[in-house]
């Protein structure tokens, strides 16, 4: 699942780029590992339980750390409605992703999910009032073309789960826009707490309808997902504290490499030429958008 930059307040400066890159790449490895565990579990138990395990154990692992390190900040929030909505967005996106990877290769789902940054460009116009030039619009269209190359409509039977990944990308783009708005008024710690809390509460609502007593191995994998999710978010926070977002952004695509490796090693899903070609187009489009945004930000400084 694509990962949004860790929410942070403006004004932070880069102090150790190499450490930031290392932390981000390691975080992407942990996210890919968590997704792999989710794909394995989704083939054995209801997706609703997998989503619940991901959030419940995430909250269980993070809460003691947050309370010990930031006891006064955990509940401090200014725009509670929007913060809760952000949690609902991530819960919906996670549910779409975990359902999709039950049926389609992990690498395909992760790669298509990275169309989300291109959707962010499109949504930033009506939601944030930002101006997007023709070159960035062209990059968005080319990136969408890369997504269709991966899916290959008309050349092969298209599984309905690919539609869920497109929906995930739209939800995730909206999540990123919401995060951008909230970083103007909110701190990182309470946003992390409420995201995990909303996910756990929301997934718990459907738990009685999908409950299946997990085996010891399944309990262990759900706990692993929670630990990996919590550790990954903490790594992201620190990465964006010591290195700039523009520097780190290209390295987020390492998650596709890790997902491809896991897909081949564990599930026997080796990427074909269409997946490789489409992913290349998608990544190139995303990197161009990042380059153009960096140029525009430098002009506006």
């Amino acid at each position: 699942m694509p990962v949004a930059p860790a929410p942070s307040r403006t004004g932070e400066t880069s102090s150790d780029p190499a450490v930031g890159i290392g932390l981000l790449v390691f975080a992407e490895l942990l996210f890919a590992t968590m997704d792999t565990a989710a794909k394995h579990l989704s083939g054995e138990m209801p997706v609703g339980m997998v989503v619940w395990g991901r959030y419940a154990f995430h909250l269980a692992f993070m809460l003691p750390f947050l309370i010990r390190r930031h006891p006064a900040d955990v509940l401090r929030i200014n725009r509670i409605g929007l913060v809760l909505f952000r949690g609902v967005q991530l819960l919906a996106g996670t549910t779409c992703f975990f359902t999709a990877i039950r049926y389609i290769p992990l690498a395909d789902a992760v790669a298509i999910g990275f169309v989300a940054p291109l959707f962010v460009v499109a949504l930033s116009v009506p939601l944030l009032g930002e101006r997007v030039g023709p070159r960035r619009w062209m990059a968005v269209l080319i990136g969408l073309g890369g997504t269709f190359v991966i899916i290959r409509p008309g050349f092969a039977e298209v599984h309905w789960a690919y539609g869920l990944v497109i929906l995930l990308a739209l939800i995730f783009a909206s999540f990123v826009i919401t995060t951008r708005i909230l970083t103007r008024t909110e701190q990182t710690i309470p946003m992390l707490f409420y995201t995990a809390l909303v996910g756990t509460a929301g997934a718990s609502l459907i738990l009685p309808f999908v409950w299946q007593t997990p085996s010891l191995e399944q309990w262990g994998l759900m706990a692993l997902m929670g630990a990996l999710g919590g550790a990954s978010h903490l790594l992201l926070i620190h990465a964006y504290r010591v290195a700039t977002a523009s520097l780190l952004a290209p390295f987020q695509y390492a998650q596709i490499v890790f997902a491809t490796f896991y897909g081949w090693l564990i599930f026997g899903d080796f990427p074909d030429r269409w997946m490789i070609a489409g992913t290349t187009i998608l990544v190139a489009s995303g990197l161009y958008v990042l380059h153009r945004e960096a140029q525009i930000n430098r002009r506006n400084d």
Side-chain angles (χ1 to χ4, degrees):
M1 183 172 175
V3 181
S8 60
R9 305 302 294 267
T10 57
E12 296 178 353
T13 58
S14 173
S15 59
D16 200 335
V19 170
I21 291 170
L23 290 172
L24 179 70
V25 171
F26 189 44
E28 300 293 353
L29 173 61
L30 297 188
F31 277 118
T33 306
M34 181 183 70
D35 292 342
T36 302
K39 180 174 176 63
H40 176 75
L41 284 172
S42 66
E44 299 181 343
M45 60 172 55
V47 172
M49 282 198 63
V50 182
V51 174
W52 173 82
R54 181 257 183 273
Y55 279 104
F57 283 101
H58 183 166
L59 181 63
F61 281 113
M62 286 196 69
L63 192 56
F65 172 84
L66 295 178
I67 292 176
R68 180 170 57 87
R69 294 287 299 274
H70 309 278
D73 293 335
V74 170
L75 298 176
R76 186 180 300 162
I77 212 75
N78 295 301
R79 306 180 67 178
I80 184 65
L82 199 56
V83 169
L84 294 179
F85 177 62
R86 178 178 181 269
V88 171
Q89 288 174 308
L90 192 58
L91 174 61
T94 302
T95 303
C96 288
F97 185 76
F98 283 6
T99 303
I101 61 176
R102 182 174 185 170
Y103 303 102
I104 64 176
L106 180 62
D108 283 18
V110 171
I112 294 170
F114 271 96
V115 77
L118 303 179
F119 286 154
V120 170
V121 174
L123 291 176
S124 66
V125 177
L127 298 182
L128 296 178
E130 297 180 0
R131 295 183 60 186
V132 176
R135 281 181 283 187
R136 279 192 289 171
W137 278 119
M138 183 60 66
V140 169
L141 293 175
I142 292 173
L144 290 175
T147 301
F148 283 104
V149 169
I150 297 173
I151 299 174
R152 306 189 293 283
F155 294 92
E157 183 179 351
V158 179
H159 198 287
W160 57 264
Y162 282 102
L164 283 180
V165 186
I166 299 294
L167 178 59
L168 154 73
L170 285 168
I171 294 171
F172 192 74
S174 176
F175 170 82
V176 172
I177 295 290
T178 304
T179 302
R180 285 186 181 180
I181 295 171
L182 285 171
T183 52
R184 302 167 185 169
T185 60
E186 310 300 333
Q187 298 286 345
T188 299
I189 297 304
M191 289 175 68
L192 285 175
F193 168 71
Y194 280 102
T195 297
L197 181 64
V198 170
T200 303
S204 296
L205 292 176
I206 66 168
L207 200 59
F209 304 100
V210 298
W211 178 259
Q212 171 186 310
T213 303
S215 66
L216 185 61
E217 178 190 358
Q218 290 168 340
W219 277 119
L221 284 175
M222 286 194 291
L224 177 65
M225 283 196 304
L228 291 172
S232 301
H233 280 93
L234 293 175
L235 287 171
L236 280 180
I237 291 170
H238 193 61
Y240 282 92
R241 280 177 179 165
V242 300
T244 60
S246 59
L247 173 69
L248 294 177
F251 295 94
Q252 67 184 334
Y253 293 104
Q255 189 179 355
I256 299 176
V257 177
F258 296 135
T260 301
F261 174 73
Y262 279 133
W264 165 74
L265 181 67
I266 297 176
F267 305 109
D269 296 327
F270 193 78
D272 58 20
R273 65 179 185 274
W274 293 102
M275 189 273 179
I276 294 173
T279 301
T280 301
I281 294 170
L282 188 56
V283 171
S285 300
L287 291 177
Y288 179 76
V289 166
L290 292 170
H291 171 69
R292 286 293 301 160
E293 289 182 348
Q295 286 184 322
I296 293 169
N297 289 336
R298 281 196 296 268
R299 289 199 211 111
N300 295 333
D301 286 342

